Amino acid sequence: MNKIKLNAAHDHDACIRSALTRAESLCQKRGVRLTRLRKKILELIWQSHSPLGAYDLMDLLQASSDRERVAPPTVYRSLDFLLENDLIHKVHSLNAFVGCNNPLHKHSDALFICSNCGFTDEVHSATIQQAINLSASQNRFSVKSQVLEVLGLCENCR
Ligand SMILES: [Zn+2]
Ligand SMILES: [Zn+2]
Ligand SMILES: [Zn+2]
């Protein structure tokens, strides 16, 4: 798979640029609007590979050069838009959001979250998916969505 090896020294500006370009072309293809605010929020979330909570996001928005007051419901609506379009993931265990590195992939795999630095990596694994499917069918359970968050230490923090 085209998994990029990320480490402390990687060119993160390139990550941000490609995430924003990807988001623009995806929204265009889907005929949905990546408004200035939605794009700004996506960019703030992509600031790092660590999940960002909604309140941190609002602080950052206000501190950003635009200096505009954005009401919390507006921020939440933008987050919903980004979630619906698979541009970000909600990290349920941290109640925070992280950028998706592969919005076209069927979202079914695991997030590996470093409990020390917050680095969150999205792992696409056929093995994990097969295990969930098998287990679901053994339990006559039909899977609608799944959240798999694994906490531990990243390569740099081990
Ligand atoms: Zn990066
Ligand atoms: Zn993803
Ligand atoms: Zn770490």
Side-chain angles (χ1 to χ4, degrees), residues 10 12 15 49:
H10 81 276
H12 188 62
C15 284
H49 291 276

Side-chain angles (χ1 to χ4, degrees), residues 38 50 85-86 131 157:
R38 288 165 176 173
S50 305
N85 284 285
D86 303 321
C157 295

Side-chain angles (χ1 to χ4, degrees), residues 86-89 99-103 105-107 111 122 124:
D86 303 321
L87 297 170
I88 57 171
H89 288 284
C100 173
N101 62 23
N102 193 351
H105 197 275
K106 192 162 169 291
H107 280 101
L111 292 177
E122 194 172 336
H124 299 292

Side-chain angles (χ1 to χ4, degrees), residues 28-83:
Q28 202 164 30
K29 222 180 286 170
R30 290 178 181 166
V32 293
R33 248 162 60 78
L34 188 66
T35 60
R36 205 170 54 87
L37 179 66
R38 288 165 176 173
K39 191 174 167 184
K40 180 83 206 166
I41 289 177
L42 183 64
E43 194 179 351
L44 288 173
I45 291 174
W46 266 102
Q47 254 187 163
S48 75
H49 291 276
S50 305
L52 200 65
Y55 283 99
D56 297 326
L57 197 58
M58 285 176 216
D59 287 346
L60 286 171
L61 260 182
Q62 217 175 353
S64 75
S65 52
D66 314 37
R67 292 203 158 278
E68 57 193 328
R69 278 268 314 138
V70 184
T74 314
V75 174
Y76 282 111
R77 273 199 300 275
S78 296
L79 287 169
D80 284 343
F81 171 88
L82 296 173
L83 284 169

